Every structure is written in C-alpha cells, then in structure tokens.
Short mmCIF file of all heavy atoms in Angstrom, two decimals:
data_model
loop_
_atom_site.label_atom_id
_atom_site.label_comp_id
_atom_site.label_asym_id
_atom_site.label_seq_id
_atom_site.Cartn_x
_atom_site.Cartn_y
_atom_site.Cartn_z
N HIS A 716 55.77 102.44 101.31
CA HIS A 716 54.66 101.56 100.98
C HIS A 716 55.15 100.23 100.41
O HIS A 716 56.22 100.15 99.80
CB HIS A 716 53.74 102.20 99.93
CG HIS A 716 52.85 103.28 100.48
ND1 HIS A 716 53.33 104.39 101.13
CD2 HIS A 716 51.49 103.40 100.47
CE1 HIS A 716 52.31 105.16 101.49
NE2 HIS A 716 51.19 104.59 101.10
N GLY A 717 54.32 99.20 100.60
CA GLY A 717 54.52 97.97 99.89
C GLY A 717 53.82 98.02 98.55
O GLY A 717 53.33 99.08 98.13
N VAL A 718 53.75 96.89 97.86
CA VAL A 718 53.12 96.81 96.55
C VAL A 718 52.05 95.72 96.58
O VAL A 718 52.31 94.61 97.03
CB VAL A 718 54.16 96.49 95.45
CG1 VAL A 718 53.48 96.37 94.09
CG2 VAL A 718 55.25 97.56 95.41
N LYS A 719 50.87 96.04 96.12
CA LYS A 719 49.78 95.06 96.08
C LYS A 719 50.21 93.83 95.30
O LYS A 719 50.77 93.93 94.21
CB LYS A 719 48.54 95.69 95.44
CG LYS A 719 47.33 94.77 95.43
CD LYS A 719 46.12 95.44 94.81
CE LYS A 719 44.91 94.52 94.82
NZ LYS A 719 43.72 95.15 94.20
N GLY A 720 49.96 92.66 95.87
CA GLY A 720 50.33 91.41 95.22
C GLY A 720 51.73 90.93 95.55
O GLY A 720 52.10 89.81 95.21
N ARG A 721 52.53 91.79 96.21
CA ARG A 721 53.88 91.40 96.65
C ARG A 721 53.87 91.25 98.17
O ARG A 721 53.81 92.22 98.89
CB ARG A 721 54.91 92.45 96.22
CG ARG A 721 56.35 92.04 96.53
CD ARG A 721 57.34 93.17 96.29
NE ARG A 721 57.24 94.22 97.30
CZ ARG A 721 58.11 95.22 97.43
NH1 ARG A 721 59.12 95.34 96.59
NH2 ARG A 721 57.95 96.13 98.39
N MET A 722 53.92 90.03 98.63
CA MET A 722 53.92 89.77 100.07
C MET A 722 55.24 90.23 100.68
O MET A 722 56.30 90.19 100.02
CB MET A 722 53.71 88.27 100.31
CG MET A 722 53.37 87.89 101.73
SD MET A 722 51.76 88.49 102.23
CE MET A 722 51.46 87.53 103.73
N GLU A 723 55.18 90.65 101.93
CA GLU A 723 56.39 91.08 102.65
C GLU A 723 56.44 90.41 104.02
O GLU A 723 55.40 90.07 104.58
CB GLU A 723 56.38 92.59 102.87
CG GLU A 723 56.53 93.43 101.64
CD GLU A 723 56.76 94.91 102.00
OE1 GLU A 723 57.11 95.20 103.17
OE2 GLU A 723 56.58 95.76 101.10
N PRO A 724 57.64 90.26 104.58
CA PRO A 724 57.73 89.69 105.93
C PRO A 724 57.00 90.53 106.98
O PRO A 724 56.58 89.99 108.01
CB PRO A 724 59.25 89.63 106.20
CG PRO A 724 59.87 90.54 105.19
CD PRO A 724 58.97 90.49 103.99
N ALA A 725 56.82 91.82 106.73
CA ALA A 725 56.05 92.66 107.66
C ALA A 725 54.62 92.19 107.81
O ALA A 725 53.93 92.57 108.76
CB ALA A 725 56.08 94.12 107.18
N GLU A 726 54.15 91.36 106.88
CA GLU A 726 52.76 90.90 106.88
C GLU A 726 52.58 89.53 107.52
O GLU A 726 51.51 88.93 107.41
CB GLU A 726 52.22 90.90 105.46
CG GLU A 726 52.21 92.28 104.81
CD GLU A 726 51.74 92.25 103.38
OE1 GLU A 726 52.58 91.95 102.49
OE2 GLU A 726 50.56 92.52 103.13
N ILE A 727 53.59 89.03 108.21
CA ILE A 727 53.47 87.73 108.87
C ILE A 727 52.33 87.75 109.88
O ILE A 727 51.68 86.72 110.13
CB ILE A 727 54.80 87.34 109.55
CG1 ILE A 727 54.76 85.91 110.07
CG2 ILE A 727 55.16 88.30 110.67
CD1 ILE A 727 54.76 84.86 109.00
N GLY A 728 52.04 88.92 110.43
CA GLY A 728 50.94 89.03 111.38
C GLY A 728 49.59 88.71 110.76
O GLY A 728 48.67 88.24 111.46
N LEU A 729 49.44 88.96 109.47
CA LEU A 729 48.19 88.61 108.78
C LEU A 729 48.00 87.10 108.74
O LEU A 729 46.91 86.58 108.96
CB LEU A 729 48.20 89.17 107.36
CG LEU A 729 48.30 90.68 107.21
CD1 LEU A 729 48.28 91.07 105.73
CD2 LEU A 729 47.18 91.38 107.97
N VAL A 730 49.09 86.38 108.45
CA VAL A 730 49.03 84.92 108.44
C VAL A 730 48.68 84.42 109.84
O VAL A 730 47.84 83.54 110.01
CB VAL A 730 50.37 84.33 107.97
CG1 VAL A 730 50.32 82.80 107.99
CG2 VAL A 730 50.72 84.82 106.57
N ALA A 731 49.33 85.01 110.85
CA ALA A 731 49.07 84.61 112.24
C ALA A 731 47.60 84.85 112.60
O ALA A 731 46.97 84.02 113.27
CB ALA A 731 49.99 85.38 113.18
N HIS A 732 47.06 85.97 112.16
CA HIS A 732 45.68 86.31 112.48
C HIS A 732 44.71 85.31 111.85
O HIS A 732 43.77 84.85 112.51
CB HIS A 732 45.37 87.73 111.99
CG HIS A 732 44.09 88.30 112.51
ND1 HIS A 732 42.86 88.03 111.93
CD2 HIS A 732 43.83 89.12 113.56
CE1 HIS A 732 41.91 88.66 112.60
NE2 HIS A 732 42.46 89.33 113.60
N VAL A 733 44.93 84.97 110.60
CA VAL A 733 44.05 84.01 109.92
C VAL A 733 44.11 82.65 110.61
O VAL A 733 43.08 82.03 110.88
CB VAL A 733 44.44 83.87 108.43
CG1 VAL A 733 43.66 82.72 107.79
CG2 VAL A 733 44.18 85.16 107.69
N VAL A 734 45.32 82.20 110.91
CA VAL A 734 45.47 80.89 111.55
C VAL A 734 44.84 80.90 112.94
O VAL A 734 44.15 79.94 113.33
CB VAL A 734 46.96 80.50 111.63
CG1 VAL A 734 47.14 79.20 112.44
CG2 VAL A 734 47.53 80.32 110.23
N ALA A 735 45.04 81.98 113.69
CA ALA A 735 44.47 82.06 115.03
C ALA A 735 42.95 82.05 114.98
O ALA A 735 42.29 81.33 115.74
CB ALA A 735 44.97 83.33 115.73
N ARG A 736 42.37 82.85 114.09
CA ARG A 736 40.91 82.89 113.95
C ARG A 736 40.37 81.52 113.55
O ARG A 736 39.33 81.09 114.06
CB ARG A 736 40.53 83.94 112.90
CG ARG A 736 40.62 85.37 113.36
CD ARG A 736 39.42 85.77 114.22
NE ARG A 736 38.17 85.61 113.50
CZ ARG A 736 37.61 86.54 112.73
NH1 ARG A 736 38.21 87.71 112.56
NH2 ARG A 736 36.47 86.32 112.12
N THR A 737 41.07 80.87 112.64
CA THR A 737 40.64 79.55 112.17
C THR A 737 40.64 78.54 113.31
O THR A 737 39.77 77.67 113.40
CB THR A 737 41.57 79.07 111.04
OG1 THR A 737 41.49 79.98 109.94
CG2 THR A 737 41.18 77.68 110.57
N ARG A 738 41.62 78.67 114.20
CA ARG A 738 41.77 77.71 115.29
C ARG A 738 41.00 78.14 116.56
O ARG A 738 41.03 77.43 117.57
CB ARG A 738 43.25 77.54 115.61
CG ARG A 738 44.04 76.91 114.47
CD ARG A 738 45.54 76.96 114.75
NE ARG A 738 45.92 76.10 115.85
CZ ARG A 738 46.47 74.89 115.73
NH1 ARG A 738 46.72 74.41 114.50
NH2 ARG A 738 46.80 74.17 116.77
N GLY A 739 40.37 79.32 116.50
CA GLY A 739 39.57 79.77 117.63
C GLY A 739 40.38 80.19 118.83
O GLY A 739 40.00 79.92 119.98
N MET A 740 41.50 80.88 118.59
CA MET A 740 42.35 81.33 119.70
C MET A 740 42.83 82.75 119.44
O MET A 740 42.72 83.27 118.33
CB MET A 740 43.54 80.39 119.86
CG MET A 740 44.45 80.29 118.65
SD MET A 740 45.68 78.96 118.76
CE MET A 740 46.62 79.43 120.21
N ALA A 741 43.34 83.38 120.47
CA ALA A 741 43.85 84.74 120.35
C ALA A 741 45.13 84.75 119.54
O ALA A 741 45.97 83.84 119.68
CB ALA A 741 44.11 85.34 121.73
N VAL A 742 45.29 85.74 118.69
CA VAL A 742 46.49 85.81 117.86
C VAL A 742 47.74 85.96 118.72
O VAL A 742 48.81 85.43 118.38
CB VAL A 742 46.38 86.97 116.83
CG1 VAL A 742 46.34 88.32 117.51
CG2 VAL A 742 47.53 86.91 115.82
N GLU A 743 47.62 86.63 119.86
CA GLU A 743 48.77 86.78 120.76
C GLU A 743 49.24 85.43 121.31
O GLU A 743 50.43 85.16 121.40
CB GLU A 743 48.42 87.71 121.93
CG GLU A 743 48.17 89.16 121.53
CD GLU A 743 46.76 89.41 121.05
OE1 GLU A 743 45.93 88.45 121.02
OE2 GLU A 743 46.46 90.58 120.71
N GLU A 744 48.28 84.60 121.64
CA GLU A 744 48.60 83.26 122.15
C GLU A 744 49.26 82.42 121.07
O GLU A 744 50.26 81.72 121.33
CB GLU A 744 47.32 82.57 122.64
CG GLU A 744 47.54 81.17 123.20
CD GLU A 744 46.24 80.45 123.54
OE1 GLU A 744 45.16 81.05 123.37
OE2 GLU A 744 46.31 79.28 123.96
N LEU A 745 48.72 82.48 119.88
CA LEU A 745 49.29 81.71 118.77
C LEU A 745 50.70 82.20 118.44
O LEU A 745 51.62 81.39 118.27
CB LEU A 745 48.41 81.81 117.54
CG LEU A 745 48.95 81.01 116.35
CD1 LEU A 745 47.97 79.93 115.92
CD2 LEU A 745 49.28 81.90 115.17
N ALA A 746 50.89 83.52 118.37
CA ALA A 746 52.20 84.08 118.04
C ALA A 746 53.25 83.66 119.07
O ALA A 746 54.39 83.33 118.71
CB ALA A 746 52.12 85.60 117.96
#
C-alpha cells in the first residue's frame, strides 16, 4: 500500500486523467 497524503510515481496516471479531462481529450491520447 501507499500512504494517504504521500504522492507516488505510480499515481502519474491520476495527473494525466485530470489534465486530459480538463482539455476534453482521451487520457490515452494525452499520455
């Protein structure tokens, strides 16, 4: 497990998802 409040590189997909949704595109395309 990770720890709440401690970001990990495994969570880069979350950043990608937020940015993709914000820009109105598929996360796969953005990644």
Side-chain angles (χ1 to χ4, degrees):
H716 284 57
V718 178
K719 183 179 180 181
R721 185 188 72 171
M722 193 67 165
E723 291 190 17
E726 298 177 277
I727 188 70
L729 299 181
V730 179
H732 192 277
V733 172
V734 174
R736 284 281 301 272
T737 299
R738 295 171 68 101
M740 60 190 299
V742 65
E743 293 84 0
E744 180 186 358
L745 181 119

